[in-house]
Amino acid sequence: YNGSNDYGIFQINDYYWCAPPSGRFSYNECGLSCNALLTDDITHSVRCAQKVLSQQGWSAWSTWHYCNGWLPSIDDCF
């Protein structure tokens, strides 16, 4: 609805968390280019997802509520 896009394995939003390649404004809270979230090395993706989760919780991902009410633990991923 706001023209933003999501990037990488964790679908991280470019309005708040990464700098889009278009140069459009972003808060860029993770301090990285959105293209860094598209590489085979997911280090940047994991670190940024950790930051998103710690600051906004699951609600940062607009589609999380489509789960059937049960979310598996991903603690071992971090």
Side-chain angles (χ1 to χ4, degrees), residues 8-68:
I9 190 169
F10 297 112
Q11 294 294 279
I12 294 172
N13 189 272
D14 67 359
Y15 185 71
Y16 297 104
W17 303 104
C18 63
S22 67
R24 185 177 48 81
F25 172 80
S26 170
Y27 289 100
N28 195 8
E29 291 290 320
C30 288
L32 51 84
S33 163
C34 295
N35 287 336
L37 302 172
L38 301 176
T39 66
D40 290 340
D41 179 356
I42 65 167
T43 303
H44 292 295
S45 295
V46 170
R47 288 184 181 146
C48 189
Q50 287 174 314
K51 186 169 192 163
V52 173
L53 188 60
S54 71
Q55 289 186 16
Q56 291 189 337
W58 290 109
S59 64
W61 288 276
S62 61
T63 57
W64 77 273
H65 64 275
Y66 292 118
C67 295
N68 64 3

